[in-house]
Coordinates of all heavy atoms in Angstrom, one line a residue:
M1 N -8.6 -7.6 14.3 CA -7.5 -6.7 14.5 C -7.5 -5.5 13.5 O -8.0 -5.7 12.4 CB -6.2 -7.4 14.4 CG -5.9 -8.5 15.4 SD -4.2 -9.0 15.4 CE -3.9 -8.9 17.1
R2 N -7.0 -4.4 14.0 CA -7.0 -3.2 13.1 C -5.7 -3.2 12.3 O -4.6 -3.4 12.8 CB -7.1 -2.0 14.0 CG -7.2 -0.8 13.2 CD -7.6 0.4 14.1 NE -7.6 1.6 13.3 CZ -8.7 2.2 12.8 NH1 -9.8 1.6 13.0 NH2 -8.6 3.3 12.1
N3 N -5.8 -2.9 11.0 CA -4.7 -2.7 10.1 C -4.4 -1.3 9.9 O -5.3 -0.4 9.9 CB -5.1 -3.3 8.8 CG -5.1 -4.8 8.8 OD1 -4.1 -5.5 9.0 ND2 -6.3 -5.4 8.7
D4 N -3.1 -1.0 9.8 CA -2.6 0.3 9.5 C -2.1 0.3 8.0 O -1.0 -0.3 7.8 CB -1.5 0.8 10.4 CG -1.0 2.1 10.1 OD1 -1.6 2.9 9.5 OD2 0.2 2.4 10.6
I5 N -2.9 0.8 7.1 CA -2.5 0.8 5.7 C -2.4 2.2 5.2 O -3.4 3.0 5.3 CB -3.5 -0.1 4.8 CG1 -3.5 -1.5 5.4 CG2 -3.0 -0.1 3.4 CD1 -4.6 -2.4 4.7
R6 N -1.3 2.5 4.5 CA -1.1 3.9 3.9 C -0.6 3.8 2.5 O 0.3 2.9 2.2 CB -0.2 4.7 4.8 CG -0.6 4.7 6.3 CD 0.4 5.4 7.1 NE 0.1 5.2 8.5 CZ 0.8 5.8 9.5 NH1 1.7 6.6 9.2 NH2 0.4 5.5 10.7
I7 N -1.0 4.7 1.7 CA -0.5 4.7 0.3 C -0.2 6.2 0.0 O -0.8 7.1 0.6 CB -1.4 4.1 -0.7 CG1 -2.8 4.9 -0.7 CG2 -1.6 2.7 -0.5 CD1 -3.7 4.5 -1.9
C8 N 0.7 6.4 -1.0 CA 1.0 7.8 -1.4 C 0.2 8.2 -2.6 O 0.1 7.4 -3.6 CB 2.5 7.8 -1.7 SG 3.1 9.4 -2.2
D9 N -0.3 9.4 -2.5 CA -1.1 9.9 -3.7 C -0.2 10.5 -4.8 O -0.7 10.9 -5.8 CB -2.1 10.9 -3.2 CG -1.6 12.1 -2.5 OD1 -0.4 12.0 -2.0 OD2 -2.3 13.0 -2.3
K10 N 1.1 10.6 -4.5 CA 2.0 11.1 -5.5 C 2.8 10.1 -6.2 O 3.6 10.3 -7.1 CB 2.9 12.1 -4.8 CG 2.2 13.2 -4.0 CD 2.8 14.5 -4.1 CE 2.1 15.6 -3.3 NZ 0.8 15.8 -3.6
C11 N 2.7 8.8 -5.8 CA 3.4 7.7 -6.4 C 3.1 7.6 -7.8 O 1.9 7.6 -8.2 CB 3.1 6.4 -5.6 SG 4.0 5.0 -6.2
K12 N 4.1 7.4 -8.7 CA 3.9 7.3 -10.1 C 3.5 5.9 -10.6 O 3.1 5.7 -11.7 CB 5.1 7.8 -10.8 CG 5.5 9.2 -10.6 CD 6.7 9.6 -11.3 CE 7.0 11.1 -10.9 NZ 8.1 11.7 -11.5
H13 N 3.6 5.0 -9.7 CA 3.3 3.6 -10.1 C 2.0 3.0 -9.6 O 1.7 1.9 -9.8 CB 4.5 2.7 -9.6 CG 5.8 3.1 -10.1 ND1 6.2 2.8 -11.4 CD2 6.8 3.9 -9.6 CE1 7.4 3.3 -11.6 NE2 7.7 4.0 -10.6
T14 N 1.2 3.9 -8.9 CA -0.1 3.4 -8.4 C -1.2 4.4 -8.8 O -0.9 5.6 -8.8 CB -0.2 3.1 -6.9 OG1 0.2 4.3 -6.2 CG2 0.8 2.0 -6.5
K15 N -2.4 4.0 -8.9 CA -3.5 4.9 -9.1 C -4.3 4.7 -7.8 O -4.7 3.6 -7.4 CB -4.4 4.4 -10.3 CG -3.6 4.6 -11.6 CD -4.5 4.1 -12.7 CE -3.6 4.2 -14.0 NZ -4.3 3.5 -15.1
V16 N -4.6 5.8 -7.1 CA -5.2 5.8 -5.8 C -6.6 5.1 -5.9 O -6.9 4.3 -5.0 CB -5.3 7.3 -5.3 CG1 -6.1 7.3 -4.0 CG2 -4.0 7.9 -5.0
K17 N -7.4 5.4 -6.8 CA -8.7 4.9 -6.9 C -8.7 3.4 -7.0 O -9.4 2.7 -6.3 CB -9.5 5.5 -8.1 CG -10.9 5.2 -8.1 CD -11.6 5.9 -9.3 CE -13.1 5.6 -9.3 NZ -13.8 6.4 -10.3
T18 N -7.9 2.8 -7.9 CA -7.9 1.4 -8.0 C -7.2 0.7 -6.9 O -7.6 -0.4 -6.4 CB -7.2 0.9 -9.4 OG1 -5.9 1.5 -9.4 CG2 -8.0 1.4 -10.6
T19 N -6.2 1.3 -6.3 CA -5.5 0.7 -5.2 C -6.4 0.7 -4.0 O -6.4 -0.3 -3.3 CB -4.2 1.6 -4.8 OG1 -3.4 1.6 -6.0 CG2 -3.4 0.9 -3.7
L20 N -7.2 1.7 -3.7 CA -8.1 1.8 -2.6 C -9.1 0.6 -2.7 O -9.4 0.0 -1.7 CB -8.8 3.1 -2.5 CG -7.9 4.3 -2.0 CD1 -8.7 5.6 -2.0 CD2 -7.5 4.0 -0.5
S21 N -9.7 0.4 -3.9 CA -10.7 -0.6 -4.0 C -10.1 -2.0 -3.9 O -10.7 -2.9 -3.2 CB -11.4 -0.5 -5.4 OG -10.5 -0.7 -6.4
K22 N -8.9 -2.2 -4.3 CA -8.2 -3.5 -4.2 C -7.8 -3.8 -2.7 O -7.9 -4.9 -2.2 CB -7.0 -3.6 -5.1 CG -7.3 -3.7 -6.6 CD -6.1 -3.6 -7.4 CE -6.5 -3.5 -8.9 NZ -5.4 -3.4 -9.8
L23 N -7.4 -2.8 -2.0 CA -7.0 -2.9 -0.6 C -8.3 -3.1 0.2 O -8.3 -3.9 1.2 CB -6.3 -1.7 -0.1 CG -4.8 -1.6 -0.6 CD1 -4.2 -0.2 -0.2 CD2 -4.0 -2.7 -0.1
A24 N -9.4 -2.5 -0.1 CA -10.6 -2.7 0.6 C -11.1 -4.2 0.4 O -11.7 -4.7 1.3 CB -11.7 -1.8 0.0
A25 N -10.8 -4.8 -0.7 CA -11.2 -6.2 -0.9 C -10.4 -7.1 0.0 O -10.9 -8.1 0.5 CB -11.0 -6.6 -2.3
I26 N -9.1 -6.8 0.2 CA -8.3 -7.7 1.1 C -8.3 -7.4 2.6 O -8.0 -8.2 3.4 CB -6.8 -7.8 0.6 CG1 -6.1 -6.4 0.8 CG2 -6.7 -8.3 -0.8 CD1 -4.6 -6.5 0.6
A27 N -8.7 -6.1 2.9 CA -8.8 -5.7 4.3 C -10.0 -4.9 4.5 O -9.9 -3.7 4.7 CB -7.5 -4.9 4.6
P28 N -11.2 -5.5 4.5 CA -12.4 -4.8 4.7 C -12.4 -4.2 6.1 O -11.7 -4.6 7.0 CB -13.5 -5.8 4.6 CG -12.8 -7.1 4.6 CD -11.4 -7.0 4.3
E29 N -13.1 -3.1 6.3 CA -13.3 -2.4 7.5 C -12.0 -1.7 8.0 O -11.8 -1.4 9.1 CB -13.7 -3.3 8.7 CG -15.1 -4.0 8.4 CD -15.5 -4.9 9.5 OE1 -15.0 -4.8 10.6 OE2 -16.4 -5.8 9.2
T30 N -11.1 -1.5 7.0 CA -9.8 -0.8 7.3 C -9.8 0.5 6.5 O -10.1 0.6 5.3 CB -8.6 -1.6 6.8 OG1 -8.5 -2.8 7.5 CG2 -7.3 -0.8 7.1
E31 N -9.6 1.6 7.3 CA -9.5 2.9 6.6 C -8.0 3.1 6.1 O -7.1 3.1 6.9 CB -9.8 4.0 7.6 CG -9.7 5.4 7.0 CD -9.9 6.5 8.0 OE1 -10.4 6.2 9.1 OE2 -9.5 7.6 7.7
V32 N -7.9 3.2 4.8 CA -6.6 3.4 4.2 C -6.3 4.9 4.2 O -7.1 5.7 3.7 CB -6.6 2.8 2.7 CG1 -5.2 3.0 2.1 CG2 -6.9 1.3 2.8
K33 N -5.1 5.2 4.7 CA -4.7 6.6 4.8 C -4.0 7.0 3.5 O -3.1 6.2 3.1 CB -3.9 6.9 6.0 CG -4.7 6.7 7.3 CD -3.8 6.9 8.5 CE -4.6 6.6 9.7 NZ -4.0 5.6 10.6
V34 N -4.3 8.1 2.9 CA -3.7 8.5 1.6 C -3.0 9.8 1.8 O -3.6 10.8 2.4 CB -4.8 8.7 0.5 CG1 -4.2 9.1 -0.8 CG2 -5.6 7.4 0.3
G35 N -1.7 9.9 1.4 CA -0.9 11.1 1.5 C 0.5 10.7 1.4 O 0.9 9.6 1.4
C36 N 1.3 11.8 1.2 CA 2.8 11.6 1.0 C 3.4 10.8 2.3 O 3.1 11.2 3.4 CB 3.5 12.9 0.8 SG 5.2 12.7 0.5
K37 N 4.2 9.8 2.0 CA 4.8 9.1 3.0 C 6.3 9.4 3.2 O 7.0 8.7 3.9 CB 4.7 7.6 2.8 CG 3.3 7.1 2.6 CD 2.6 7.2 4.0 CE 1.1 7.3 3.8 NZ 0.5 8.5 4.3
S38 N 6.8 10.4 2.5 CA 8.2 10.7 2.5 C 9.1 9.5 2.2 O 10.1 9.3 2.8 CB 8.6 11.4 3.8 OG 7.9 12.5 4.1
Y39 N 8.7 8.8 1.2 CA 9.4 7.6 0.8 C 9.8 7.8 -0.7 O 9.7 6.9 -1.5 CB 8.5 6.4 1.0 CG 9.1 5.0 1.0 CD1 10.1 4.7 2.0 CD2 8.7 4.1 0.1 CE1 10.6 3.4 2.0 CE2 9.3 2.8 0.1 CZ 10.2 2.5 1.0 OH 10.8 1.2 1.1
C40 N 10.2 9.0 -1.0 CA 10.3 9.4 -2.4 C 11.4 8.6 -3.3 O 11.2 8.5 -4.5 CB 10.6 10.9 -2.5 SG 9.2 11.8 -1.8
G41 N 12.4 8.2 -2.7 CA 13.4 7.4 -3.5 C 12.8 6.2 -4.1 O 12.7 6.0 -5.3
P42 N 12.4 5.2 -3.2 CA 11.8 4.0 -3.8 C 10.4 4.3 -4.5 O 10.1 3.6 -5.4 CB 11.5 3.2 -2.5 CG 12.5 3.6 -1.5 CD 12.7 5.1 -1.8
C43 N 9.7 5.3 -4.1 CA 8.5 5.7 -4.7 C 8.7 6.0 -6.2 O 7.8 5.8 -7.0 CB 7.8 6.8 -4.0 SG 6.2 7.4 -4.6
Q44 N 9.8 6.5 -6.6 CA 10.1 6.8 -8.0 C 10.3 5.6 -8.8 O 10.1 5.6 -10.0 CB 11.4 7.7 -8.1 CG 11.2 9.1 -7.4 CD 10.2 10.0 -8.2 OE1 10.2 9.9 -9.4 NE2 9.5 10.8 -7.4
R45 N 10.7 4.5 -8.2 CA 11.0 3.3 -8.9 C 10.0 2.1 -8.8 O 9.9 1.3 -9.7 CB 12.4 2.7 -8.4 CG 13.5 3.7 -8.7 CD 14.9 3.1 -8.3 NE 15.0 2.7 -6.9 CZ 15.4 3.4 -5.9 NH1 15.7 4.6 -6.1 NH2 15.4 2.9 -4.7
Y46 N 9.2 2.1 -7.7 CA 8.3 1.0 -7.4 C 7.0 1.5 -6.9 O 6.9 2.5 -6.3 CB 8.9 0.1 -6.4 CG 10.3 -0.4 -6.6 CD1 11.3 0.1 -5.9 CD2 10.6 -1.4 -7.5 CE1 12.6 -0.3 -6.1 CE2 11.8 -1.9 -7.7 CZ 12.9 -1.3 -7.0 OH 14.2 -1.7 -7.2
A47 N 6.0 0.6 -7.1 CA 4.7 0.8 -6.4 C 4.9 0.4 -5.0 O 5.7 -0.6 -4.7 CB 3.6 0.0 -7.1
F48 N 4.4 1.1 -4.0 CA 4.6 0.6 -2.6 C 3.3 0.8 -1.8 O 2.5 1.7 -2.1 CB 5.8 1.3 -2.0 CG 5.5 2.7 -1.4 CD1 5.1 2.8 -0.1 CD2 5.6 3.8 -2.2 CE1 4.8 4.1 0.4 CE2 5.4 5.0 -1.7 CZ 5.0 5.2 -0.4
I49 N 3.3 0.1 -0.7 CA 2.2 0.2 0.3 C 2.8 0.0 1.6 O 3.7 -0.8 1.9 CB 1.2 -1.0 0.1 CG1 0.5 -0.9 -1.3 CG2 0.1 -1.0 1.2 CD1 -0.2 -2.2 -1.7
F50 N 2.5 0.9 2.5 CA 2.9 0.8 3.9 C 1.8 0.1 4.7 O 0.7 0.5 4.7 CB 3.1 2.2 4.5 CG 3.5 2.2 6.0 CD1 4.9 2.1 6.3 CD2 2.6 2.3 7.0 CE1 5.2 2.0 7.6 CE2 3.0 2.3 8.3 CZ 4.3 2.2 8.6
I51 N 2.1 -1.1 5.2 CA 1.1 -1.9 5.9 C 1.7 -2.4 7.2 O 2.7 -3.1 7.2 CB 0.6 -3.0 4.9 CG1 -0.5 -3.9 5.6 CG2 1.7 -3.9 4.4 CD1 -1.3 -4.7 4.7
N52 N 1.0 -2.1 8.3 CA 1.3 -2.5 9.6 C 2.8 -2.5 9.9 O 3.4 -3.4 10.3 CB 0.8 -4.0 9.8 CG -0.7 -4.0 9.7 OD1 -1.4 -3.1 10.1 ND2 -1.2 -5.0 9.1
G53 N 3.4 -1.3 9.6 CA 4.8 -1.1 10.0 C 5.8 -1.5 8.9 O 7.0 -1.4 9.1
R54 N 5.4 -2.0 7.8 CA 6.3 -2.5 6.7 C 6.0 -1.8 5.4 O 4.9 -1.5 5.1 CB 6.1 -4.0 6.5 CG 6.5 -4.8 7.6 CD 6.2 -6.3 7.3 NE 6.7 -7.2 8.3 CZ 6.0 -7.5 9.4 NH1 4.8 -7.0 9.6 NH2 6.5 -8.3 10.3
Y55 N 7.1 -1.5 4.7 CA 6.9 -1.0 3.3 C 7.0 -2.2 2.4 O 8.0 -2.9 2.5 CB 8.1 0.0 3.0 CG 7.8 1.4 3.6 CD1 8.5 1.8 4.7 CD2 7.0 2.3 2.9 CE1 8.3 3.1 5.2 CE2 6.7 3.6 3.4 CZ 7.4 4.0 4.6 OH 7.2 5.2 5.1
V56 N 6.0 -2.4 1.6 CA 6.0 -3.5 0.7 C 6.0 -2.9 -0.7 O 5.3 -2.0 -1.1 CB 4.7 -4.3 0.8 CG1 4.6 -5.4 -0.2 CG2 4.6 -4.8 2.2
T57 N 7.0 -3.3 -1.6 CA 7.1 -2.8 -2.9 C 6.9 -3.8 -3.9 O 7.0 -5.0 -3.7 CB 8.6 -2.2 -3.1 OG1 9.5 -3.2 -3.0 CG2 8.9 -1.1 -2.1
G58 N 6.6 -3.4 -5.1 CA 6.4 -4.2 -6.3 C 6.6 -3.5 -7.6 O 6.5 -2.3 -7.6
A59 N 6.9 -4.2 -8.6 CA 7.1 -3.5 -9.9 C 5.8 -2.9 -10.4 O 5.8 -1.9 -11.1 CB 7.6 -4.5 -10.9
T60 N 4.7 -3.5 -10.0 CA 3.4 -2.9 -10.4 C 2.5 -2.8 -9.1 O 2.8 -3.3 -8.1 CB 2.7 -3.8 -11.4 OG1 2.4 -5.1 -10.8 CG2 3.5 -4.1 -12.6
E61 N 1.4 -2.1 -9.3 CA 0.4 -1.9 -8.2 C -0.1 -3.3 -7.8 O -0.2 -3.6 -6.6 CB -0.7 -1.1 -8.8 CG -1.9 -0.9 -7.9 CD -3.0 -0.1 -8.6 OE1 -2.7 0.9 -9.2 OE2 -4.1 -0.6 -8.5
D62 N -0.4 -4.1 -8.7 CA -1.0 -5.5 -8.4 C 0.1 -6.3 -7.6 O -0.3 -7.1 -6.7 CB -1.4 -6.2 -9.6 CG -2.7 -5.6 -10.2 OD1 -3.5 -5.0 -9.4 OD2 -2.9 -5.6 -11.4
E63 N 1.3 -6.2 -8.0 CA 2.4 -7.0 -7.4 C 2.5 -6.5 -5.9 O 2.7 -7.4 -5.0 CB 3.7 -6.9 -8.1 CG 4.8 -7.8 -7.6 CD 6.1 -7.6 -8.4 OE1 6.0 -7.7 -9.7 OE2 7.1 -7.5 -7.8
A64 N 2.5 -5.3 -5.7 CA 2.6 -4.7 -4.3 C 1.5 -5.2 -3.5 O 1.6 -5.5 -2.3 CB 2.8 -3.2 -4.4
I65 N 0.3 -5.1 -4.0 CA -0.9 -5.6 -3.3 C -0.8 -7.0 -3.0 O -1.2 -7.5 -1.9 CB -2.2 -5.2 -4.1 CG1 -2.4 -3.7 -4.1 CG2 -3.4 -5.9 -3.5 CD1 -3.5 -3.2 -5.0
E66 N -0.4 -7.8 -3.9 CA -0.2 -9.3 -3.7 C 0.7 -9.6 -2.5 O 0.5 -10.4 -1.7 CB 0.2 -10.0 -5.0 CG 0.2 -11.5 -4.9 CD -1.2 -12.0 -4.7 OE1 -2.2 -11.4 -5.3 OE2 -1.4 -13.0 -4.1
K67 N 1.9 -8.8 -2.5 CA 2.8 -9.0 -1.4 C 2.3 -8.5 -0.1 O 2.6 -9.1 1.0 CB 4.1 -8.3 -1.8 CG 4.9 -8.9 -2.9 CD 6.2 -8.1 -3.1 CE 7.1 -8.6 -4.2 NZ 8.3 -7.8 -4.4
A68 N 1.5 -7.5 -0.1 CA 0.9 -6.9 1.1 C -0.1 -7.9 1.8 O -0.3 -7.8 3.0 CB 0.3 -5.6 0.8
K69 N -0.7 -8.8 1.0 CA -1.7 -9.6 1.6 C -1.2 -10.4 2.8 O -2.0 -10.7 3.7 CB -2.2 -10.6 0.5 CG -3.1 -10.0 -0.5 CD -3.6 -11.0 -1.5 CE -4.5 -10.4 -2.6 NZ -4.9 -11.4 -3.6
K70 N 0.0 -10.8 2.8 CA 0.5 -11.7 3.9 C 0.7 -10.9 5.2 O 0.8 -11.4 6.3 CB 1.8 -12.4 3.5 CG 3.0 -11.5 3.3 CD 4.2 -12.4 2.9 CE 5.4 -11.5 2.6 NZ 6.5 -12.4 2.1
Y71 N 0.6 -9.5 5.1 CA 0.8 -8.7 6.3 C -0.6 -8.2 6.9 O -0.6 -7.5 7.8 CB 1.7 -7.5 6.0 CG 3.1 -8.0 5.7 CD1 3.6 -7.8 4.4 CD2 3.9 -8.6 6.6 CE1 4.8 -8.2 4.0 CE2 5.2 -9.0 6.2 CZ 5.6 -8.8 5.0 OH 6.9 -9.3 4.6
V72 N -1.7 -8.5 6.2 CA -3.0 -8.1 6.7 C -3.4 -8.9 7.9 O -3.3 -10.1 8.0 CB -4.1 -8.3 5.6 CG1 -5.5 -8.0 6.1 CG2 -3.8 -7.5 4.4
K73 N -3.7 -8.2 9.0 CA -4.2 -8.8 10.2 C -5.6 -9.2 10.0 O -6.5 -8.4 9.6 CB -4.1 -7.8 11.4 CG -2.7 -7.4 11.7 CD -2.6 -6.4 12.8 CE -1.2 -5.9 13.0 NZ -1.2 -4.8 14.0
K74 N -5.9 -10.4 10.4 CA -7.3 -10.9 10.2 C -8.1 -10.7 11.4 O -7.8 -10.7 12.5 CB -7.3 -12.4 9.9 CG -6.5 -12.8 8.7 CD -7.2 -12.6 7.4 CE -6.3 -12.9 6.3 NZ -6.8 -12.9 5.0

């Protein structure tokens, strides 16, 4: 199944390069879209990932990725 994963390149709590590599490990063959998601309120306070229709947040980049794992379509 195809996953829809998006991250913000302006988020202060994630680094695009490391986030992309970690997401590629949990969802291979998925193209992660990078760009502003207009989620600026929570983006100022948490790391977040938009995955398959859900916003997943975490205090850190790793925490957000760990929470996102359960929404990856296999």
Side-chain angles (χ1 to χ4, degrees):
M1 297 191 129
R2 185 167 174 101
N3 289 290
D4 179 22
I5 303 176
R6 304 173 193 191
I7 61 171
C8 181
D9 57 345
K10 306 217 184 302
C11 182
K12 296 179 180 182
H13 300 280
T14 59
K15 295 179 183 167
V16 174
K17 188 175 182 178
T18 59
T19 303
L20 285 174
S21 65
K22 291 174 185 177
L23 289 171
I26 65 167
E29 301 179 21
T30 299
E31 179 184 343
V32 178
K33 296 177 183 127
V34 179
C36 182
K37 301 293 159 244
S38 298
Y39 198 62
C40 297
C43 182
Q44 295 292 325
R45 297 186 304 268
Y46 308 104
F48 82 92
I49 299 166
F50 179 84
I51 180 165
N52 298 324
R54 294 179 175 86
Y55 281 102
V56 179
T57 61
T60 65
E61 173 184 313
D62 289 331
E63 186 178 313
I65 290 170
E66 190 62 36
K67 288 181 179 180
K69 284 181 182 179
K70 66 181 175 182
Y71 299 111
V72 173
K73 296 176 185 175
K74 304 275 178 180

